[in-house]
Amino acid sequence: MRIPKAAVLALLLSASVNAQIVAQPSAGTYRRAVAGGYKAALYCSGLFNAGRTPAQIDADELTGIYPEYEKIVSTLIAKVDRPRRSVAVTFDPALPPRYAVWRDGHGCMTLPIGSRAPADGGSAAPLDAMPPIAGADPRRWPQGDAGIALRPSAGLTKVVSAAFGDGYGVGAKTVGVVVLKDGRVVAERYGHGFGPFVSNRTWSVGKSIAGTLIGLADAAPLDARATVPQWTAGDPRRGITLDHLLRMASGLHSDSAGNRTDAIYFGGTTVDEQATSWPLEALPGTRFRYANNDILLAVYATRQIIGEDRYRAWPGNLFGPLGMSHTVAETDWHGNYILSSQVWSTARDLARLGLFWSQDGIWAGKRLLPAGWMRTMTMPSGPQPASGPGYGATMWLFGPKQGLPQGSFAAQGNRGQYVMVIPSRHLVIVRRGEDPGAARFDIARFAADVAGLTP
C-alpha cells in the first residue's frame, strides 16, 4: 500500500515536534526544595541563634506554618552538624540536601538549591570559634537586665495571663509578653521553652527595624531615587524613591498577596536576583500594596550608598548601643540583609527598641536617629491601606478607630509578633507569638486592656 507523500510529511513533522517536547519535572520538586530550605533555616536559627532544641522547634516554629510546606516539612529529616554549626535537610534523592549555615554575628544563611557547601558570604564556624549564647547583661535595665523588679497589679497579671490562653485569639500561641510603663518593666511572662534570653524570628517586625536602620544611616533624602543598579537608564522603575519603598507605594508587582517571598526566605534566591526583577504595575506613589520586596529594595538601595564596610556593621550600630545583645540580622548568600523578616530577637530586646522609638530616637541622653525621623516613620503620607490601621514609613498606625489613644503605632509580623507603642501613656507592649495557621492575636484589644490598667 502506497502512503501519500502528504501523510508521510505530516508523520515526520509530528515526530519532530514530539521529540522536542521534554517532560517537565513535577512542581512538587521545587516545593519540596523550599520546604527543605524552610526546615534548614528554622532549625539553624532556632538552634544556634536561640539555643532551642529540635523538639521545641518542631512544636513551635514549624507547626502551623504555610500548609503547602507543613505537610512536607514533617516528613523531612534534618541532620545537624553542631561542630560546624550547619543543618542539612534532604528533600530529593537525586539532589544535594538544602543547607543553612551559621556565621558569627550574622546568624544563619540559607544556601541556594543544589549547593553542597558554604558559598560566598562566609563559612560555617568551628565549635570553638562560636561564643556561647548570651545570658543576662549585668548592667541595669534598660541597657542591661539588672534591676528588673516586677510588681504588676492583679488586673494586669490577669490580662497578661489571658494572652497565654484564648483570651485574645482562639488558637493563638503566645510565647512572650513584656510591658513597659515609663521605661520600667511592669509585666513579663514566657511560654514553655522560651524566656528572656531566648530569641525567635521577628518576621515583619524586621521591616520596622529596617526603617529605623535607614534613618540611622542618614545616607540619602527620602525623595531621592532608590539606588538600584539593575534599573538602568530608560527603566521607569528609576522613578521609585526611598520614600515610596518605605511606605509600600512602589507600584511594583509582586506574587501572591504581596507579602510572600519564599524563594528569598527559604529557597536560596538572593535579594539582588529576585527583588530587583519585578515590573511596575502602578505608578509609584499611587497605590499601597504591602510587599516584602519594597523593604528589601530599600535596604538594598542603602547598601549601594553606604559601602560594604559600613553596611556589614550597620545593624550592630543600632543593636549595640541599645543593649540588644540577643538580636541578630541575617543575610542571604550574597550578603544582603533580609530585613523584611529575617531578624531573631527576644521580647526584652524588642521592648528596648520600642522604648527607643517612644523616646524619639534618643538613648541614654544621646540622639541616635535624626531629629524628625520617628515622625516620618509614624505619619501617614500617600496611599493608605483600604481598611484597618494606617501605615507610615514601616510602622502600622493605630488610634481611636482601634480603641487606642491617638498616635499609637506598632511594628508587627507574621505568627503574631507585635511591638505596640502608646506614647501618650508612656507604654510599650511586646507580644511574641508562634500563632499557627489562621489563628490571630487581637493586639489592639490586648493593648487597650493593658493601657486601661496602667494609667
Side-chain angles (χ1 to χ4, degrees), residues 214 220-226 241-244 246-247 373 376 393:
I214 288 170
L222 281 173
D223 59 359
R225 186 174 66 194
T241 67
L242 189 59
D243 192 62
H244 292 147
L246 293 177
R247 297 184 185 279
W373 187 258
T376 295

Side-chain angles (χ1 to χ4, degrees), residues 35-112:
Y38 200 125
K39 188 161 191 171
L42 270 294
Y43 257 55
C44 182
S45 298
L47 290 166
F48 304 131
N49 289 339
R52 290 177 44 80
T53 68
Q56 290 171 332
I57 296 166
D58 287 338
D60 294 319
E61 285 92 340
L62 292 177
T63 295
I65 64 176
Y66 299 130
E68 67 268 35
Y69 300 138
E70 184 169 18
K71 59 187 177 183
I72 301 171
V73 162
S74 62
T75 69
L76 303 178
I77 304 300
K79 294 184 178 179
V80 178
D81 185 341
R82 289 183 182 274
R84 298 298 299 172
R85 293 301 194 261
S86 68
V87 177
V89 177
T90 298
F91 67 95
D92 187 288
L95 292 169
R98 297 301 314 278
Y99 285 97
V101 296
W102 183 91
R103 295 132 325 128
D104 189 11
H106 296 291
C108 288
M109 171 180 67
T110 302
L111 300 184

